[in-house]
Amino acid sequence: SEEEFEVMARAVYPLHFSSKEVIAQEGEPGDAMYFITSGRMKVVREIDFTQAVGQPCVKLLELATLTPGEFFGELSLIRHSLDDNKRHK
């Protein structure tokens, strides 16, 4: 609705991040959604190969590169909302 759009528009504000800055980490609670307007953002996952190779070996696997017009964080909002509803019951 028009009212919902206005509420969302008022909640959006610009953020700037440095190169290689971690914005969100898997497993940590999130309560924000991000829209890429410029630059690129890489989605990576840390994979531990220590058991396979027999010595400490952790690598980053690049899962995606987000570009202007793309977004992320929407799933953390859903999860945040579900968790919040459980706390209030």
Side-chain angles (χ1 to χ4, degrees):
S1 71
E2 189 71 30
E3 294 81 24
E4 291 172 319
F5 181 75
E6 185 174 336
V7 168
M8 286 178 49
R10 291 183 187 280
V12 175
Y13 54 91
L15 295 172
H16 300 275
F17 297 99
S18 302
S19 179
K20 300 188 193 274
E21 184 174 353
V22 175
I23 299 169
Q25 189 129 8
E26 184 177 4
E28 292 185 4
D31 62 355
M33 183 172 175
Y34 300 87
F35 296 89
I36 310 297
T37 58
S38 65
R40 296 179 313 195
M41 196 213 65
K42 292 187 179 194
V43 179
V44 297
R45 182 169 195 167
E46 193 174 78
I47 307 291
D48 189 348
F49 293 101
T50 301
Q51 192 172 11
V53 298
Q55 61 184 2
C57 182
V58 177
K59 304 257 183 193
L60 289 180
L61 175 65
E62 185 176 323
L63 302 175
T65 299
L66 303 180
T67 57
E70 295 184 281
F71 57 89
F72 69 98
E74 72 283 4
L75 296 178
S76 69
L77 290 177
I78 293 168
R79 183 81 236 164
H80 181 78
S81 177
L82 290 173
D83 292 344
D84 199 38
N85 286 338
K86 286 180 185 176
R87 280 192 294 270
H88 290 93
K89 287 187 176 184

